[in-house]
Amino acid sequence: MFSCGQAGAEALASAVRDIVFPHKAVVAHQGDLADHCWVVVEGAAQAQINSADGQLTLLASHGPGEIFGSYPEPATLRSDIVAQGSLHLLCIETSALVDLARHSADIAHGLSLLFARQLDVMLDRMAARTTLTANGRVYAELLRLAGASNRIEPPPVLSALALSVHTTRETTSRAIAHLLRRGIVSRTDEALEILAPRLLAELIA
């Protein structure tokens, strides 16, 4: 995840701890003072805010290989962090990560790549929200989640997928049902597989 060498990986391994949260568990609350960073190994961590009128708003969704928390100093969290599906995290104290980055160019470089990739994904999502239809956003997110394997395992939770692309669960369900009818994707309890990625890409509009 940090794209570092053996020495850097060993230094990180000695500083992190594994944590697993069940579906819908709150990792951290809005207003908490966070003095840790978390790296997602499996699952998704969603940054959510409840507005004064009770509307749930998704600020960000962090998937495997992405980082959230506080860096380079402890900070007050802007939102709740909620597990979507079983969420496996690596947790490291902010001060420890700063110290490792300061003393290891390898880790500092890997950390900068991690943040850069994450910013790129976030900008893609912002662009999709302003330029694509609701269905197009669902299709684009499916392709992103599937990656080179064209497989999402386990299959995405519809409500979580809808929230991540700023649409309704009903719209997301209809969009995926359309793909299933056309044979563009297949879905089992274990995974959602994209059978025709080029056709799916052509539907993004």
Side-chain angles (χ1 to χ4, degrees), residues 161-174:
L161 180 60
L163 193 60
S164 69
V165 297
H166 301 277
T167 190
T168 65
R169 185 187 185 282
E170 291 72 23
T171 296
T172 302
S173 178
R174 288 195 296 269

Side-chain angles (χ1 to χ4, degrees), residues 85-137:
S86 179
L87 177 61
H88 180 190
L89 301 174
L90 298 178
C91 178
I92 183 171
E93 290 186 10
T94 297
S95 58
L97 185 55
V98 169
D99 189 58
L100 286 169
R102 183 178 292 122
H103 292 92
S104 169
D106 205 17
I107 291 176
H109 176 65
L111 190 60
S112 69
L113 291 178
L114 196 157
F115 280 130
R117 286 195 299 265
Q118 194 161 320
L119 175 61
D120 195 45
V121 169
M122 193 168 295
L123 290 174
D124 277 348
R125 286 174 178 162
M126 290 174 64
R129 188 178 180 185
T130 57
T131 61
L132 298 179
T133 63
N135 282 0
R137 296 197 299 273

Side-chain angles (χ1 to χ4, degrees), residues 126-158:
M126 290 174 64
R129 188 178 180 185
T130 57
T131 61
L132 298 179
T133 63
N135 282 0
R137 296 197 299 273
V138 172
Y139 301 152
E141 186 68 3
L142 289 177
L143 280 174
R144 189 192 71 81
L145 291 172
S149 69
N150 289 318
R151 185 178 177 87
I152 307 171
E153 189 176 3
V157 177
L158 290 183

Side-chain angles (χ1 to χ4, degrees), residues 18-19 28 39 43-44 52 70 88 97 110-111 114 140 146 152 159 161 189 204:
D18 283 279
I19 307 177
V39 181
S70 60
H88 180 190
L97 185 55
L111 190 60
L114 196 157
I152 307 171
S159 57
L161 180 60
D189 291 341
I204 297 173

